[in-house]
Amino acid sequence: MDPLLQAALDARQHAHAPFSGFRVGAAVETADGRIFTGCNIENATYSLTLCAERVALAKALSEGCRRFRRIAVAAATKVLTPPCGSCRQILWEFCPDAELILVNLEGATETLFVRDLLPRPFDATFL
Ligand code: THU
Protein backbone atom coordinates (compact mmCIF):
# COMPACT_ATOMS: atom_id res chain seq x y z
CA MET A 1 0.00 0.00 0.00
CA ASP A 2 1.05 3.62 -0.58
CA PRO A 3 3.03 4.62 2.55
CA LEU A 4 1.00 7.83 2.90
CA LEU A 5 -2.26 5.88 3.07
CA GLN A 6 -0.76 3.36 5.47
CA ALA A 7 0.44 6.23 7.67
CA ALA A 8 -3.08 7.68 7.80
CA LEU A 9 -4.55 4.27 8.65
CA ASP A 10 -1.91 3.72 11.36
CA ALA A 11 -2.49 7.20 12.83
CA ARG A 12 -6.19 6.41 13.09
CA GLN A 13 -5.31 3.81 15.72
CA HIS A 14 -4.26 6.65 18.02
CA ALA A 15 -7.58 8.49 17.74
CA HIS A 16 -9.02 9.75 21.01
CA ALA A 17 -12.72 9.55 20.21
CA PRO A 18 -14.55 8.48 23.38
CA PHE A 19 -17.59 10.65 22.61
CA SER A 20 -18.33 9.94 18.98
CA GLY A 21 -16.51 6.64 18.59
CA PHE A 22 -15.61 7.92 15.11
CA ARG A 23 -11.89 7.42 14.59
CA VAL A 24 -10.04 9.36 11.90
CA GLY A 25 -6.40 9.33 10.80
CA ALA A 26 -4.60 11.72 8.50
CA ALA A 27 -1.18 11.99 6.92
CA VAL A 28 0.35 14.88 5.01
CA GLU A 29 3.26 14.52 2.60
CA THR A 30 5.58 17.50 2.27
CA ALA A 31 7.18 18.65 -0.97
CA ASP A 32 10.44 17.04 0.16
CA GLY A 33 8.73 13.72 0.85
CA ARG A 34 8.35 13.78 4.61
CA ILE A 35 5.17 12.42 6.20
CA PHE A 36 3.43 13.87 9.27
CA THR A 37 0.43 12.14 10.80
CA GLY A 38 -2.51 13.09 12.99
CA CYS A 39 -5.65 11.64 14.53
CA ASN A 40 -8.79 13.20 15.91
CA ILE A 41 -8.54 14.23 19.56
CA GLU A 42 -11.92 14.77 21.17
CA ASN A 43 -12.63 16.80 24.28
CA ALA A 44 -15.42 16.64 26.87
CA THR A 45 -16.44 20.15 25.85
CA TYR A 46 -16.95 18.72 22.33
CA SER A 47 -16.22 22.02 20.59
CA LEU A 48 -12.52 21.83 21.45
CA THR A 49 -12.20 18.62 19.47
CA LEU A 50 -9.32 18.56 17.00
CA CYS A 51 -9.77 16.89 13.63
CA ALA A 52 -7.14 14.49 12.34
CA GLU A 53 -6.35 16.61 9.28
CA ARG A 54 -5.61 19.71 11.33
CA VAL A 55 -3.48 17.79 13.81
CA ALA A 56 -1.35 16.37 10.98
CA LEU A 57 -1.05 19.73 9.27
CA ALA A 58 -0.18 21.54 12.53
CA LYS A 59 2.55 19.02 13.25
CA ALA A 60 4.09 19.64 9.84
CA LEU A 61 3.69 23.41 10.02
CA SER A 62 5.22 23.56 13.47
CA GLU A 63 8.26 21.71 12.11
CA GLY A 64 8.70 24.43 9.50
CA CYS A 65 7.09 22.70 6.51
CA ARG A 66 5.11 24.94 4.20
CA ARG A 67 4.82 23.01 0.93
CA PHE A 68 2.64 19.95 0.65
CA ARG A 69 2.05 17.43 -2.11
CA ARG A 70 -0.62 15.09 -0.75
CA ILE A 71 -2.93 14.52 2.18
CA ALA A 72 -4.56 11.22 3.09
CA VAL A 73 -7.60 10.82 5.35
CA ALA A 74 -8.54 7.43 6.78
CA ALA A 75 -11.84 6.42 8.37
CA ALA A 76 -13.91 3.26 8.67
CA THR A 77 -16.77 4.23 6.38
CA LYS A 78 -17.97 2.60 3.19
CA VAL A 79 -18.72 6.02 1.68
CA LEU A 80 -15.27 7.53 2.06
CA THR A 81 -15.03 10.27 4.70
CA PRO A 82 -14.11 13.74 3.39
CA PRO A 83 -12.66 16.61 5.49
CA CYS A 84 -15.16 18.75 7.41
CA GLY A 85 -15.77 22.38 6.46
CA SER A 86 -13.31 23.80 8.99
CA CYS A 87 -10.55 21.50 7.76
CA ARG A 88 -11.29 22.46 4.15
CA GLN A 89 -10.72 26.11 5.04
CA ILE A 90 -7.41 25.36 6.78
CA LEU A 91 -6.25 23.01 4.01
CA TRP A 92 -7.10 25.64 1.41
CA GLU A 93 -4.91 28.19 3.17
CA PHE A 94 -1.84 25.97 3.33
CA CYS A 95 -2.12 23.55 0.44
CA PRO A 96 -4.71 24.46 -2.19
CA ASP A 97 -2.89 22.45 -4.85
CA ALA A 98 -2.50 19.29 -2.80
CA GLU A 99 -4.01 15.99 -3.78
CA LEU A 100 -6.44 14.62 -1.21
CA ILE A 101 -6.75 10.86 -0.94
CA LEU A 102 -9.58 9.30 1.06
CA VAL A 103 -9.15 5.72 2.23
CA ASN A 104 -11.11 3.23 4.30
CA LEU A 105 -10.19 0.08 6.17
CA GLU A 106 -10.87 -2.10 3.12
CA GLY A 107 -8.33 -0.07 1.16
CA ALA A 108 -10.91 1.63 -1.07
CA THR A 109 -9.59 5.03 -2.17
CA GLU A 110 -10.76 8.16 -3.90
CA THR A 111 -8.49 10.99 -5.03
CA LEU A 112 -9.68 14.58 -5.02
CA PHE A 113 -8.03 17.99 -4.93
CA VAL A 114 -8.20 20.38 -1.99
CA ARG A 115 -9.13 23.23 -4.33
CA ASP A 116 -12.26 21.40 -5.51
CA LEU A 117 -13.63 21.03 -1.99
CA LEU A 118 -14.01 24.71 -1.18
CA PRO A 119 -15.68 26.77 -3.89
CA ARG A 120 -15.30 30.54 -3.65
CA PRO A 121 -13.09 30.48 -0.56
CA PHE A 122 -12.36 33.37 1.74
CA ASP A 123 -8.61 33.78 2.07
CA ALA A 124 -5.75 36.25 2.44
CA THR A 125 -6.43 37.78 -0.97
CA PHE A 126 -9.39 39.63 0.62
CA LEU A 127 -7.38 41.15 3.47
N1 THU B 1 -13.40 14.28 12.26
C1 THU B 1 -12.12 14.39 11.79
O1 THU B 1 -11.15 14.13 12.52
N2 THU B 1 -11.95 14.80 10.50
C2 THU B 1 -12.97 15.09 9.65
O2 THU B 1 -12.73 15.65 8.59
C3 THU B 1 -14.34 14.72 10.02
C4 THU B 1 -14.57 14.63 11.49
C5 THU B 1 -13.60 13.83 13.64
C6 THU B 1 -14.02 14.91 14.59
C7 THU B 1 -14.74 14.12 15.65
O3 THU B 1 -13.80 13.68 16.60
C8 THU B 1 -15.29 12.92 14.91
O4 THU B 1 -14.60 12.86 13.68
C9 THU B 1 -16.79 12.98 14.64
O5 THU B 1 -17.13 14.18 14.04
Coordinates of all heavy atoms in Angstrom, one line a residue, residues 1 3 6-7 13 17 24 30 39 45 53 57 66-67 69 72 75 80 83 85 89-90 98 112 117-119:
M1 N 0.8 -1.2 0.0 CA 0.0 0.0 0.0 C 0.9 1.3 0.0 O 2.0 1.2 0.5 CB -0.9 0.0 1.2 CG -1.7 1.3 1.4 SD -2.9 1.3 2.7 CE -4.2 0.2 2.2
P3 N 2.6 4.3 1.2 CA 3.0 4.6 2.6 C 2.2 5.8 3.2 O 2.0 5.8 4.4 CB 4.5 5.0 2.4 CG 5.0 4.5 1.1 CD 3.8 4.3 0.2
Q6 N -1.0 4.2 4.3 CA -0.8 3.4 5.5 C -0.5 4.2 6.7 O -1.0 3.9 7.8 CB 0.5 2.5 5.2 CG 0.6 1.4 6.2 CD -0.6 0.4 6.3 OE1 -0.9 -0.2 5.3 NE2 -1.2 0.3 7.5
A7 N 0.2 5.3 6.5 CA 0.4 6.2 7.7 C -0.9 6.8 8.2 O -1.0 6.9 9.4 CB 1.4 7.4 7.2
Q13 N -5.3 4.7 14.5 CA -5.3 3.8 15.7 C -5.1 4.6 17.0 O -5.5 4.2 18.1 CB -4.2 2.8 15.6 CG -4.2 1.9 14.4 CD -5.3 0.8 14.5 OE1 -5.9 0.6 15.5 NE2 -5.6 0.2 13.4
A17 N -11.3 9.2 20.6 CA -12.7 9.5 20.2 C -13.7 8.9 21.1 O -14.6 8.1 20.7 CB -12.9 9.1 18.8
V24 N -10.6 8.8 13.2 CA -10.0 9.4 11.9 C -8.5 9.5 12.0 O -8.0 9.8 13.0 CB -10.6 10.8 11.6 CG1 -10.2 11.2 10.2 CG2 -12.2 10.7 11.7
T30 N 5.0 16.2 2.6 CA 5.6 17.5 2.3 C 6.2 17.4 0.9 O 6.4 16.3 0.3 CB 6.6 17.9 3.3 OG1 7.7 16.9 3.2 CG2 6.1 17.9 4.7
C39 N -4.4 12.4 14.3 CA -5.6 11.6 14.5 C -6.6 12.6 15.2 O -6.2 13.7 15.6 CB -5.4 10.4 15.5 SG -4.8 10.9 17.1
T45 N -15.7 19.0 26.2 CA -16.4 20.1 25.9 C -16.9 20.1 24.4 O -17.6 21.0 23.9 CB -15.6 21.4 26.0 OG1 -14.5 21.3 25.0 CG2 -15.1 21.6 27.4
E53 N -7.0 15.9 10.3 CA -6.3 16.6 9.3 C -5.6 17.8 9.8 O -4.4 18.1 9.5 CB -7.4 17.1 8.2 CG -8.1 16.1 7.5 CD -9.4 15.7 8.2 OE1 -9.5 15.6 9.4 OE2 -10.4 15.4 7.5
L57 N -1.6 18.5 9.9 CA -1.0 19.7 9.3 C -0.3 20.6 10.3 O 0.8 21.1 10.0 CB -2.2 20.5 8.6 CG -1.8 21.6 7.6 CD1 -1.1 21.0 6.5 CD2 -3.1 22.2 7.1
R66 N 6.1 24.0 4.8 CA 5.1 24.9 4.2 C 4.6 24.5 2.8 O 3.7 25.1 2.3 CB 5.7 26.4 4.1 CG 5.8 27.1 5.4 CD 4.5 27.4 6.0 NE 4.6 28.1 7.3 CZ 4.9 27.6 8.5 NH1 5.0 26.3 8.6 NH2 5.0 28.3 9.5
R67 N 5.3 23.5 2.3 CA 4.8 23.0 0.9 C 4.4 21.5 1.0 O 5.1 20.7 1.5 CB 6.0 23.2 -0.1 CG 6.2 24.7 -0.3 CD 7.4 25.0 -1.2 NE 7.3 24.3 -2.5 CZ 8.3 23.5 -3.0 NH1 9.4 23.3 -2.3 NH2 8.2 22.9 -4.1
R69 N 2.4 18.1 -0.9 CA 2.0 17.4 -2.1 C 0.7 16.7 -2.0 O -0.1 16.8 -2.8 CB 3.1 16.3 -2.4 CG 4.3 16.9 -3.1 CD 5.1 15.8 -3.9 NE 5.6 14.7 -3.1 CZ 6.9 14.4 -3.0 NH1 7.8 15.1 -3.6 NH2 7.3 13.4 -2.3
A72 N -3.7 12.4 3.1 CA -4.6 11.2 3.1 C -5.4 11.3 4.3 O -5.0 11.7 5.4 CB -3.7 10.0 3.1
A75 N -10.7 6.7 7.4 CA -11.8 6.4 8.4 C -12.5 5.1 8.0 O -12.3 4.6 6.9 CB -12.8 7.6 8.3
L80 N -16.5 7.0 1.5 CA -15.3 7.5 2.1 C -15.5 8.9 2.7 O -16.2 9.8 2.2 CB -14.2 7.6 0.9 CG -13.9 6.2 0.3 CD1 -13.0 6.3 -0.9 CD2 -13.3 5.3 1.4
P83 N -12.9 15.6 4.4 CA -12.7 16.6 5.5 C -13.9 17.5 5.8 O -14.7 17.8 4.9 CB -11.5 17.5 4.9 CG -10.9 16.7 3.8 CD -12.0 15.8 3.3
G85 N -15.9 21.0 7.0 CA -15.8 22.4 6.5 C -14.6 23.2 7.0 O -13.9 23.9 6.3
Q89 N -11.2 24.7 5.0 CA -10.7 26.1 5.0 C -9.2 26.1 5.4 O -8.5 26.9 4.7 CB -11.5 26.9 6.1 CG -11.1 28.3 6.3 CD -11.4 29.2 5.1 OE1 -12.4 29.0 4.3 NE2 -10.6 30.2 4.8
I90 N -8.8 25.4 6.4 CA -7.4 25.4 6.8 C -6.5 24.7 5.7 O -5.5 25.3 5.3 CB -7.2 24.5 8.1 CG1 -8.1 25.1 9.2 CG2 -5.8 24.5 8.5 CD1 -7.7 26.4 9.8
A98 N -2.8 20.7 -3.2 CA -2.5 19.3 -2.8 C -3.6 18.3 -3.3 O -4.7 18.7 -3.4 CB -2.4 19.2 -1.3
L112 N -9.1 13.3 -4.7 CA -9.7 14.6 -5.0 C -8.6 15.6 -4.9 O -7.4 15.3 -4.7 CB -10.8 14.9 -4.0 CG -11.8 13.8 -3.7 CD1 -12.5 14.1 -2.3 CD2 -12.8 13.8 -4.8
L117 N -12.7 21.2 -3.1 CA -13.6 21.0 -2.0 C -14.1 22.3 -1.4 O -15.0 22.3 -0.5 CB -12.9 20.2 -0.9 CG -12.6 18.8 -1.2 CD1 -12.0 18.1 0.0 CD2 -13.9 18.1 -1.6
L118 N -13.6 23.4 -1.8 CA -14.0 24.7 -1.2 C -14.2 25.8 -2.3 O -13.3 26.6 -2.5 CB -12.9 25.2 -0.2 CG -13.4 26.3 0.8 CD1 -14.5 25.8 1.7 CD2 -12.2 26.8 1.6
P119 N -15.4 25.8 -2.9 CA -15.7 26.8 -3.9 C -15.8 28.2 -3.3 O -16.2 28.4 -2.2 CB -17.0 26.4 -4.5 CG -17.5 25.2 -3.7 CD -16.5 24.9 -2.6

